[in-house]
Amino acid sequence: MHQPVQIDSTFIENHTDFNELIRLLQEAFAANSVIVPQRHHHDFPNPATTKDTTLLLMPAWNPGFEAGVKVVTVNPGNNQFELPAIQGSYLYMDAKTGVLKAIMEAKNLTAKRTAAASALASSMLSRPETKSMLMIGTGALSINLIKAHASVRPIEEVFVWGRNPAKATIICDQLKTEKFKTLPVNTIKEVISKVDLVSCATLSEQPLVLGADVVPGQHIDLVGAYKPNMRESDDGLLRRASIFLDVMEGGLKESGDIAIPLQEGLITKEDIKADLFDLCANKHSGRTDSTEITLFKSVGHALEDLIAAKYYYSKYN
């Protein structure tokens, strides 16, 4: 009987070429042949922690080729076990036979595909001469986002801000061997108006990227704030920016960055210019001029997981 291979976080880390992964995502969004059912979301009691555990199932199916499902649990009480709250695996299958081909570590796979999707959007929305970047947030995504963005634009200087300054310094130290310079900063405001690109990946419920601080020509990449009550941008930014999403359906309701302004009537669905499906299929041209402020809001999509899983499986074999 066929035994699935095990692909761990270290393998994923050591076998990522962002240019390759970005190209594969672009092809998949353009083709739009992957069937992605609605994400399953289930809450279950957890007597050990007295806090509910959430089970998330994210399937994707490319008929006749590959299929997969990401299985994730969110356990708010895991700190008492000294474990991360989010645990997960990706099950990669042959769509013709249903045979399970691989079990992959999901956290790093998700980080890589998320960063690659943001960089894919940047390749169509940021100015080609983009040379400087502000990274807001110091979590697992930050280094991936910096590297991915630098793979599609000639980044020379990266500023890093986090609520914990020590973490920002650690991020910069880990990127010392890269072709760009990295510098930790004490405040967002001191550099945000001086950079070409702003990437934000936090769990903030209060806006961090303000419309009053951004300048013409910038590209804003919003990756965090994944719940309807979370926001990384304020109303002022939404008023000034051309808004793009990774996927239309999820992007309109899953994050407060878009859902709250929609509910309050600040923007309408028609104000959303395009998503990655339209951009990659050349149904929308992306940035229109050098002074436009572009905003990309990402909530994640199971298509990205499947393409990343296929990519790492091909590297393994």
Side-chain angles (χ1 to χ4, degrees):
M1 183 177 176
H2 173 83
Q3 293 296 317
V5 299
Q6 302 277 337
I7 299 178
D8 62 14
S9 177
T10 301
F11 182 89
I12 291 170
E13 189 64 39
N14 293 337
H15 293 82
T16 300
D17 181 320
F18 275 116
N19 282 312
E20 293 176 348
L21 185 52
I22 291 164
R23 176 180 55 79
L24 292 172
L25 285 177
Q26 183 169 19
E27 291 171 355
F29 274 108
N32 196 10
S33 60
V34 176
I35 300 169
V36 179
Q38 189 171 358
R39 179 169 66 180
H40 297 250
H41 181 291
H42 305 281
D43 293 321
F44 297 104
N46 188 339
T49 64
T50 70
K51 297 177 181 178
D52 282 0
T53 289
T54 300
L55 173 67
L56 300 172
L57 305 174
M58 288 156 273
W61 200 278
N62 190 11
F65 296 96
E66 60 277 337
V69 58
K70 188 161 66 175
V71 181
V72 173
T73 57
V74 183
N75 308 273
N78 265 10
N79 58 325
Q80 72 184 69
F81 306 120
E82 297 183 355
L83 289 169
I86 297 175
Q87 302 286 325
S89 297
Y90 195 87
L91 308 181
Y92 180 65
M93 296 170 278
D94 184 328
K96 295 188 294 290
T97 63
V99 169
L100 180 62
K101 300 169 77 171
I103 302 172
M104 305 184 190
E105 189 275 333
K107 188 174 182 180
N108 206 12
L109 180 143
T110 303
K112 301 301 184 191
R113 63 81 155 153
T114 302
S118 278
L120 171 59
S122 178
S123 72
M124 295 174 279
L125 299 176
S126 67
R127 292 179 297 175
E129 67 273 20
T130 291
K131 293 182 179 180
S132 56
M133 173 180 177
L134 168 61
M135 182 70 236
I136 300 173
T138 55
L141 264 173
S142 58
I143 285 180
N144 289 298
L145 283 163
I146 292 168
K147 288 183 175 181
H149 279 296
S151 74
V152 299
R153 290 293 184 249
I155 302 292
E156 296 176 356
E157 193 169 37
V158 179
F159 301 96
V160 182
W161 178 87
R163 297 188 192 279
N164 183 341
K167 289 186 178 180
T169 300
I170 291 170
I171 296 292
C172 293
D173 288 342
Q174 290 177 327
L175 293 168
K176 273 184 177 178
T177 59
E178 298 296 327
K179 60 184 179 182
F180 45 80
K181 294 189 299 182
T182 52
L183 296 166
V185 293
N186 294 318
T187 65
I188 294 171
K189 196 172 182 66
E190 69 189 82
V191 294
I192 191 168
S193 64
K194 302 173 184 176
V195 298
D196 300 314
L197 186 155
V198 179
S199 184
C200 192
T202 72
L203 301 178
S204 182
E205 295 182 9
Q206 301 299 322
L208 297 169
V209 185
L210 311 180
D213 294 335
V214 302
V215 296
Q218 284 182 314
H219 175 58
I220 313 299
D221 172 44
L222 302 179
V223 183
Y226 66 96
K227 291 183 178 179
N229 66 319
M230 295 177 171
R231 290 193 72 171
E232 294 181 317
S233 59
D234 71 347
D235 289 349
L237 179 57
L238 273 291
R239 288 192 186 98
R240 296 187 66 190
S242 297
I243 306 166
F244 299 83
L245 305 176
D246 54 349
V247 289
M248 197 64 71
E249 185 180 0
L252 292 173
K253 59 187 179 182
E254 291 186 18
S255 169
D257 279 310
I258 303 298
I260 293 172
L262 278 172
Q263 290 164 5
E264 295 179 349
L266 178 75
I267 61 172
T268 67
K269 185 177 178 181
E270 287 68 37
D271 290 319
I272 311 299
K273 302 292 185 182
D275 62 9
L276 282 178
F277 288 104
D278 291 334
L279 287 167
C280 292
N282 295 317
K283 294 179 180 178
H284 192 285
S285 58
R287 172 176 286 274
T288 56
D289 61 63
S290 62
T291 62
E292 185 179 14
I293 297 170
T294 52
L295 183 154
F296 175 69
K297 176 57 196 170
S298 166
V299 294
H301 192 53
L303 175 148
E304 299 163 8
D305 294 315
L306 180 60
I307 298 307
K310 180 182 178 182
Y311 172 67
Y312 292 114
Y313 184 78
S314 69
K315 293 278 187 178
Y316 192 88
N317 285 289

